[in-house]
Amino acid sequence: MRNLLHANLCRLVRSRVFLFALLAELAYTALVVLVCWDHYATGTGRYTMESVLTAGYGLMGYLPVPTLIIAPMLSVYLGTDYSGNTLRNKLIVGHTRSAVYLADLLICVLASVALDVLYLALAGALCVYPVWGMSGVLLRVPVGQMLAWIAVALLARAAYAALVKLLVTALGNKTAASIAALLLVAAAALVCASAFSEIQYIERGLAGEYPVENGEARLAFWRALVDTLPTGQYIQVSRLDTPHLWRMPLLSLAVMAAGTGTGLAVFRRKDLK
C-alpha cells in the first residue's frame, strides 16, 4: 500500500491536470483576495474572516467554484489509469484490487483537501489586514464555530472524492468520467438551489405568512437532502447557515462508506483487459 500511495502521489503531482487545477485554485483565491481588498479600499464591505474563508466552498453562497475545479482533476487523473492500462499493470505485479482502489481514493481525498487548505491558508493570510480595516474585528463567531465549519466542509470534500472515484470506476473512461463529474456538480448545484428555495418557502409558511400542507415533513425532507449531498454541505457552510451542523459529518461519513463499498464491489468485478 505504501508503494502504491507513493507512486500515485508522484504521478498526480507531475500531471498536467493537477497543475491546471492548482493554477485554477490560485486564480480563484486571487479573485477573492482582490475583491476583499477592493471592498476595503472603496469602503463598501463590512464582512469578517468567516465570509472570506468559507468562500472556498461556494461563491456568494450559490456556486461551488472549487468543486468545478476538483471534479475534472480527479476524473482525468483516475481515468488515465484505464486508458493507459496502469490498473492492469498494478494487479500484475501483485497488488490486490482493494489496495489499488483504496490507494487511488486516498490520493483523491488528499489532493482535494490540499487544494481547500491552500485556499484557506492564502486567503486567510492575505485578507486579514483588509478585513480588520473594514470591520475592526476578524471574526464575529467563536473560533470553535469557524473550525467546525471548516472541518465539516473538508469532510464533505472527502465524501465528494469518494463519489467521483465511484463514478470513474463505473465508467472506466476519463473523457466520459470528466463530463459526467461536471454534469454531476451542475445537477447537484441546481438541486440544492431548488432545495434552499423550497426550504425558505416552507419556513415562511410555517411562520404563518401563508398555509403550507405537510410543511414539517416537507421541510425535514429538503433539509435531509441538502445535509446529505456534499454540495449541499458546501453551500450551507459558504452561507454560514448550518442548522444541523452536528449531523453533517455523520452523513458525510455515511456517503464515504457507501460510495467506497459500492466502488470496491464494482472494481472487483470489472474486466480490465
Side-chain angles (χ1 to χ4, degrees), residues 10-20 73 77:
C10 290
R11 184 168 68 85
L12 174 66
V13 171
R14 293 170 183 169
S15 66
R16 289 184 179 180
V17 67
F18 178 74
L19 175 61
F20 291 151
M73 177 191 73
Y77 163 71

Side-chain angles (χ1 to χ4, degrees), residues 166-188:
L166 169 60
L167 180 66
V168 176
T169 300
L171 295 177
N173 180 282
K174 67 179 180 181
T175 302
S178 299
I179 295 172
L182 288 173
L183 290 175
L184 183 64
V185 174

